[in-house]
Amino acid sequence: MPRPLTRRTFLGSAAGAGLALAIPPSSAAEPTVVRPPAAKAASDWPLSDHRDEAALLAVLRSGKWGRTSGGASRVKDFETAFASRMQARHCVATSSGTTALLTALGALNVGPGDEVIMPPYTFVATFNAITANFALPVFADTDAASFQIDPAKVSAAITPATKLLLPVHIAGSPADLDALSALATSRKITLLEDACQAPLAEWRGRPVGTVGLGGCFSFQASKNLTSGEGGAILTDDETFAHLCYDFHTPGGGKKSASSGRGANYRLTEFQAAVLLAQMTRLEAQATTRDANAAYLSELLRKIPGITPAALAPGVTRSAWHLYMLHYESANFAGLPRAKFIAALAKEGVAASSGYTSLNTSAHVKALASNPHYQRLYGKDTMARWMDRNHCPVNDRLVEAAVWFGQTKLLGSRTDMEKIASAITSIQLRAGELARS
Ligand SMILES: *Cc1c(COP(=O)(O)O)cnc(C)c1O
């Protein structure tokens, strides 16, 4: 994949920087200044241009590379901009989505003996943020239609030890926040949103991240808003914001009651500068994904055996980090999903089978025999823990899901038509493909 700013070209740019910033991109004559190509294929990610280059060079030359160096801070500017765009009162930027989760769980002093309810249909980082705190992850099964955590299963999983509900807005589509907020309120449990895939997503017209106490976002390289690595916590709660701030910077804030725990999870000025540049295109990209996703769903709903993931009734905007659908092989002459995906690739349509079963993975199973967990919770509890984690709906879902990545949705309407016609063409030849 062509990258406009590889390490080499970036260093090249920096070397010729005196000219690079003064000369408009079209008249570049300096051989050491490597320009991003004018037009990029829709599948390329991340995207950048002179705005990102200028922002990075400005940080480099300023000598202020970290937020603790004093004076004006791009990290602060980004926090203000992201909070404002997401209608949140406070933002704390972190070094990753994982460290956003670790900071939030640290600020809440989640620890040994606490149970945290999470979905099985998510990236392993959600699980790791819980186990890094020696708390016990408890899986609540998936709603088959939406691929999101099922609030009825969350309700059934709550015990006196439940400290936190940690739903994930998977694919960038909000989980059922009405039902989850109602549960959190009635059972007096904190609700924290793993919104790592969901910048700009909305629940009943309100951006996600502050429906619960707070929300965690990721700016890792594949995400819709990216600086390679990075993350943020949004909240409307000033006390929680201070606790998060103080947790993420050693000896930094001193504004809040310390739990005696903390770490350095700060974002750098370079990452903040890139994020501010990336934010200038975020809304336009999201609007393109909205339109393409709606059109693609309209086309795919006409194909028997293809069912796009439903949006929960309160979803007024998805971030469309992923486009997910159910594949029913019975409507494709029994063509197995792996062969369907291979056939799509041959038609030039890259797709993935998505997450494998997290709750039954070797990584998760290993927790049951982890000596620390056995000592903290008891061997019997850890043996029973595996039984508590059964998620039969999710087990079926992971066998039937097909994903397209967010960059597909940055293409044209014609690209959406190509996806639909590739699927239709495969369906017509499915019997023959199944035998081959
Ligand atoms: C990406 C992601 C994370 C972790 O973010 P990183 O920035 O990679 O640490 C956590 N949860 C979900 C759902 C994610 O997609």
Coordinates of all heavy atoms in Angstrom, one line a residue, residues 28 62 115 151 154 166 175-176 193 221 227 257 270 278 284-285 290 297 300 316 320 352 360 365 383 393 401 426 433:
A28 N 6.1 21.6 -6.4 CA 7.2 21.0 -5.8 C 8.3 20.7 -6.8 O 8.1 19.9 -7.7 CB 6.8 19.8 -5.0
S62 N 9.0 23.3 17.0 CA 8.7 24.1 18.3 C 9.5 23.6 19.5 O 9.7 24.3 20.4 CB 7.2 23.9 18.6 OG 7.0 22.6 19.1
E115 N -16.3 -7.5 39.2 CA -16.7 -8.0 37.9 C -17.1 -6.9 36.9 O -17.7 -5.9 37.3 CB -17.9 -9.0 38.1 CG -17.6 -10.2 39.0 CD -18.7 -11.2 39.1 OE1 -19.8 -10.9 38.6 OE2 -18.5 -12.2 39.8
P151 N -28.9 -6.4 26.1 CA -29.1 -5.8 27.4 C -29.8 -6.9 28.3 O -29.6 -6.9 29.5 CB -30.1 -4.6 27.2 CG -29.8 -4.2 25.8 CD -29.5 -5.5 25.0
V154 N -27.1 -8.8 29.7 CA -26.4 -8.0 30.7 C -27.1 -8.1 32.0 O -26.5 -8.3 33.1 CB -26.2 -6.6 30.2 CG1 -25.6 -5.7 31.3 CG2 -25.4 -6.5 28.9
L166 N -19.5 -2.5 30.6 CA -18.6 -2.0 29.6 C -19.1 -2.5 28.2 O -18.5 -3.4 27.6 CB -17.2 -2.5 29.9 CG -16.0 -2.0 29.0 CD1 -16.0 -0.5 28.9 CD2 -14.7 -2.6 29.5
A175 N -24.4 0.5 20.8 CA -25.2 -0.5 21.5 C -26.4 0.1 22.0 O -26.6 1.3 22.0 CB -24.3 -1.1 22.6
D176 N -27.4 -0.7 22.5 CA -28.7 -0.2 23.0 C -28.5 0.6 24.2 O -28.7 0.1 25.4 CB -29.6 -1.4 23.2 CG -31.0 -1.0 23.5 OD1 -31.2 0.2 23.8 OD2 -32.0 -1.8 23.5
E193 N -18.6 3.4 28.2 CA -18.8 3.0 26.8 C -17.4 2.7 26.2 O -16.5 3.6 26.2 CB -19.5 4.1 26.0 CG -20.8 4.5 26.5 CD -21.3 5.8 25.8 OE1 -21.3 5.9 24.6 OE2 -21.7 6.7 26.6
A221 N -4.1 2.9 14.0 CA -3.9 3.2 12.6 C -5.1 2.8 11.7 O -5.4 3.5 10.7 CB -2.7 2.4 12.1
S227 N -4.0 8.7 14.5 CA -2.6 9.2 14.6 C -1.6 8.1 14.7 O -0.6 8.2 15.4 CB -2.5 10.2 15.8 OG -3.0 9.6 17.0
A257 N -8.6 12.9 44.5 CA -8.3 11.9 45.5 C -7.6 10.8 44.8 O -8.1 10.1 44.0 CB -9.5 11.4 46.2
F270 N 3.0 15.3 18.7 CA 3.0 14.9 17.3 C 1.7 14.2 17.0 O 1.1 14.5 15.9 CB 4.1 13.9 17.1 CG 5.5 14.5 17.2 CD1 6.3 14.2 18.3 CD2 6.0 15.3 16.2 CE1 7.6 14.8 18.4 CE2 7.3 15.9 16.3 CZ 8.1 15.6 17.5
Q278 N -6.3 15.5 10.9 CA -7.3 14.5 10.5 C -8.7 14.9 10.8 O -9.6 14.6 10.0 CB -7.0 13.2 11.3 CG -5.7 12.5 11.0 CD -5.7 11.8 9.6 OE1 -6.6 11.1 9.2 NE2 -4.6 11.9 8.9
A284 N -16.5 15.1 6.6 CA -16.7 14.8 5.2 C -16.6 13.2 4.9 O -17.5 12.7 4.2 CB -15.7 15.5 4.3
Q285 N -15.7 12.6 5.6 CA -15.5 11.1 5.4 C -16.7 10.4 6.0 O -17.2 9.5 5.4 CB -14.2 10.7 6.1 CG -13.0 11.1 5.4 CD -11.7 10.9 6.2 OE1 -11.7 10.7 7.4 NE2 -10.6 10.9 5.5
D290 N -21.8 7.4 5.6 CA -23.3 7.3 5.8 C -24.0 7.0 4.6 O -24.9 6.1 4.5 CB -23.8 8.7 6.4 CG -23.4 9.0 7.8 OD1 -23.0 8.0 8.5 OD2 -23.5 10.1 8.2
S297 N -26.8 -1.1 2.0 CA -27.8 -1.8 2.7 C -29.0 -2.0 1.8 O -29.6 -3.1 1.8 CB -28.2 -1.1 4.0 OG -27.1 -1.2 4.9
L300 N -28.1 -4.7 -0.7 CA -27.9 -6.0 -0.2 C -29.2 -6.6 0.4 O -29.3 -7.9 0.4 CB -26.8 -6.0 0.9 CG -25.4 -5.5 0.4 CD1 -24.4 -5.7 1.6 CD2 -24.9 -6.3 -0.8
T316 N -28.9 7.1 15.7 CA -29.2 8.1 14.7 C -28.0 8.3 13.8 O -28.1 9.0 12.7 CB -29.6 9.5 15.3 OG1 -28.7 9.7 16.4 CG2 -31.0 9.4 15.9
W320 N -19.8 3.6 11.2 CA -19.4 2.7 10.1 C -17.9 2.4 10.1 O -17.3 2.4 9.1 CB -19.9 3.3 8.8 CG -21.4 3.4 8.7 CD1 -22.1 4.6 8.6 CD2 -22.4 2.4 8.7 NE1 -23.4 4.4 8.6 CE2 -23.6 3.0 8.6 CE3 -22.3 1.0 8.7 CZ2 -24.8 2.3 8.6 CZ3 -23.5 0.3 8.7 CH2 -24.7 0.9 8.6
S352 N -13.9 -9.8 5.1 CA -13.3 -10.6 6.2 C -14.4 -11.3 6.9 O -15.5 -10.9 6.9 CB -12.5 -9.6 7.1 OG -12.8 -9.8 8.5
T360 N -14.3 -18.1 23.9 CA -13.7 -19.5 23.9 C -12.3 -19.6 23.5 O -11.8 -20.7 23.2 CB -14.6 -20.4 23.1 OG1 -14.6 -19.9 21.7 CG2 -16.1 -20.5 23.6
K365 N -9.4 -18.5 27.8 CA -9.3 -19.7 28.6 C -8.2 -19.7 29.6 O -8.3 -20.3 30.7 CB -9.2 -20.9 27.7 CG -10.6 -21.4 27.1 CD -10.4 -22.6 26.3 CE -11.7 -23.1 25.7 NZ -11.4 -24.0 24.5
A383 N -13.1 -22.1 37.7 CA -13.6 -23.2 36.9 C -15.0 -22.9 36.5 O -15.4 -23.2 35.3 CB -13.5 -24.5 37.8
V393 N -25.5 -17.5 21.2 CA -25.8 -16.6 20.0 C -24.6 -16.1 19.3 O -24.4 -16.2 18.1 CB -26.7 -15.4 20.5 CG1 -27.0 -14.5 19.3 CG2 -28.0 -15.9 21.1
A401 N -20.7 -14.2 10.1 CA -20.5 -12.8 9.8 C -19.6 -12.6 8.6 O -18.7 -13.4 8.4 CB -19.9 -12.1 11.1
I426 N -21.9 -14.3 -7.5 CA -21.5 -15.5 -6.8 C -22.7 -16.4 -6.5 O -22.6 -17.6 -6.6 CB -20.7 -15.1 -5.5 CG1 -19.4 -14.4 -5.8 CG2 -20.5 -16.3 -4.5 CD1 -18.7 -13.7 -4.7
L433 N -19.4 -23.2 -7.5 CA -18.3 -22.8 -6.6 C -18.2 -23.8 -5.4 O -17.1 -24.1 -4.9 CB -18.5 -21.4 -6.1 CG -18.2 -20.3 -7.1 CD1 -18.8 -18.9 -6.7 CD2 -16.7 -20.1 -7.4

